[in-house]
C-alpha cells in the first residue's frame, strides 16, 4: 500500500502475480478509504486475512498524515496476523516506474518553502538502486547534486514548480516526465520489497519523515537545552 501522498494505491499479490489493485487520485481521505479498499481487493482476489504472509507499505517521505495512516495500518496487520512487515521508500517507488537499464532517475516531492524531499536512483535489473540517500533539502542544493552527475537523467515527482530551473541548469541532459509517470503504484511497492528483509521490530517501526513536524520544531525551539529525541513521549 502507498498512502504517502495524495494518491492512494493498494494491491494484492501472490508472489509476482497481481491479483487485484486499485489507485485513487481524486480524494485525500486515506483514513476513510484505505480499509474498505483493502477489504474489497482481498474479497475480489479471494484472499482471506489468514492467507497473507507479508504486508508492505511505502513509508515516506511524504504527507505526515498519509504516512501515519499507511504505516499504522500496516503495523496493525503485521502484528495481529503475525506476518512480515516491510517498508519501502516512497521516492524509490516512483523511480520504479522507469524501466530503462542503467538510467539515472531523480525523484522529488515538494517540501514547501523551496525545499524538496528528493533522492537519486539508478535502474539496475529493473529495480531502482540508491545513488544518493533520500533527504529533505533546499531545491538549489539538490539541483547542484544533479548537475555534478554529468550524465542524462530523468526527473519525476512534484516537478511543476521546479521544471524551468531544472531545464535552465541541466539543459538537454534532463528529461522532466509528464505527471502520469509520477503516479505511485502499489504493485511497484511490492516488487521492490521482494528484495528487502522484513522489519524485525514491528512495534518500533516509524515512517521515514526526514524532517521534524512543525510542532516538534516549535517545541525544540522553545526547549533548546532539552533532548527532543522522543518528543511525543515527553509531551
Amino acid at each position: 500500500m502507498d498512502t504517502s501522498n495524495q494518491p492512494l494505491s493498494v494491491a494484492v499479490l501472490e508472489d509476482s502475480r497481481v491479483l487485484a489493485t486499485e489507485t485513487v487520485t481524486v480524494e485525500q481521505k486515506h483514513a476513510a478509504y484505505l480499509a474498505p479498499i483493502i477489504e474489497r481487493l482481498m474479497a475480489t482476489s479471494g484472499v482471506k486475512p489468514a492467507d497473507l504472509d507479508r504486508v508492505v507499505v511505502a513509508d515516506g517521505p511524504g504527507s505526515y498524515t498519509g504516512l501515519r495512516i499507511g504505516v499504522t495500518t500496516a503495523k496493525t496487520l503485521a502484528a495481529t496476523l503475525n506476518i512480515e512487515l516491510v517498508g519501502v521508500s516512497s521516492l524509490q517507488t516512483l523511480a520504479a516506474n522507469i524501466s530503462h537499464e542503467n538510467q539515472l532517475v531523480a525523484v522529488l516531492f515538494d517540501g514547501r518553502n523551496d525545499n524538496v524531499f528528493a533522492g537519486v536512483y539508478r535502474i539496475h535489473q529493473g529495480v531502482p538502486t540508491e545513488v544518493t540517500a533520500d533527504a529533505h533539502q533546499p531545491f538549489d542544493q539538490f539541483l547542484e547534486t544533479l548537475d555534478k552527475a554529468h550524465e542524462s537523467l530523468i526527473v519525476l515527482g512534484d516537478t511543476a514548480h521546479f521544471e524551468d530551473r531544472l531545464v535552465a541548469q541541466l539543459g538537454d541532459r534532463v528529461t522532466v516526465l509528464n505527471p502520469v509517470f509520477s503516479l505511485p503504484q502499489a504493485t511497484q511497492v511490492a516488487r521492490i520489497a521482494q528484495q528487502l528483509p522484513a522489519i524485525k521490530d514491528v512495534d518500533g517501526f516509524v515512517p521515514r519523515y526526514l524532517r521534524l513536524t512543525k510542532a516538534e520544531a516549535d517545541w525544540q525551539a522553545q526547549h533548546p537545552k532539552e533532548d527532543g529525541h522522543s518528543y511525543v513521549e515527553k509531551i
Side-chain angles (χ1 to χ4, degrees):
M1 68 187 77
D2 189 338
T3 62
S4 58
N5 288 288
Q6 180 163 329
L8 164 62
S9 186
V10 181
V12 179
L13 292 88
E14 181 178 18
D15 297 325
S16 298
R17 186 165 70 99
V18 180
L19 302 181
T21 184
E22 182 173 339
T23 300
V24 178
T25 64
V26 294
E27 294 284 355
Q28 195 168 2
K29 297 179 180 178
H30 299 340
Y33 289 171
L34 180 57
I37 289 176
I38 292 173
E39 184 177 3
R40 181 166 60 251
L41 293 185
M42 289 180 62
T44 299
S45 56
V47 174
K48 298 177 181 179
D51 297 327
L52 297 177
D53 56 19
R54 172 175 274 207
V55 57
V56 184
V57 61
D59 62 2
S63 158
Y64 288 119
T65 301
L67 290 174
R68 286 193 290 268
I69 291 168
V71 168
T72 299
T73 301
K75 289 173 66 173
T76 301
L77 288 170
T80 56
L81 298 174
N82 193 28
I83 60 177
E84 293 183 346
L85 170 65
V86 179
V88 174
S89 162
S90 305
L91 297 169
Q92 186 180 19
T93 296
L94 287 195
N97 289 343
I98 307 302
S99 59
H100 308 305
E101 184 67 14
N102 203 41
Q103 176 65 57
L104 198 64
V105 181
V107 186
L108 61 88
F109 296 151
D110 192 344
R112 299 182 181 180
N113 300 318
D114 210 39
N115 295 309
V116 293
F117 298 102
V120 180
Y121 295 85
R122 189 177 299 280
I123 308 303
H124 177 65
Q125 296 182 352
V127 177
T129 57
E130 186 180 275
V131 175
T132 66
D134 296 354
H136 176 254
Q137 58 189 295
F139 174 73
D140 284 342
Q141 180 180 330
F142 181 58
L143 191 57
E144 288 180 11
T145 299
L146 300 183
D147 198 16
K148 292 176 182 177
H150 300 298
E151 62 180 291
S152 64
L153 63 126
I154 291 173
V155 180
L156 65 166
D158 298 332
T159 58
H161 299 304
F162 306 104
E163 182 171 1
D164 290 346
R165 290 155 69 187
L166 283 164
V167 174
Q169 180 76 19
L170 304 175
D172 58 8
R173 284 190 289 138
V174 65
T175 301
V176 181
L177 292 187
N178 185 290
V180 70
F181 293 98
S182 297
L183 187 66
Q185 301 177 55
T187 52
Q188 299 287 26
V189 179
R191 187 165 67 87
I192 295 170
Q194 290 177 341
Q195 302 186 27
L196 297 176
I199 303 288
K200 293 183 178 180
D201 181 10
V202 172
D203 290 338
F205 178 58
V206 295
R208 195 183 323 214
Y209 292 122
L210 298 188
R211 70 173 178 184
L212 297 175
T213 64
K214 184 178 185 302
E216 290 173 317
D218 290 346
W219 187 89
Q220 289 193 1
Q222 295 169 15
H223 304 81
K225 296 183 180 181
E226 297 189 40
D227 176 19
H229 178 70
S230 185
Y231 168 84
V232 176
E233 184 177 335
K234 282 179 178 292
I235 293 301

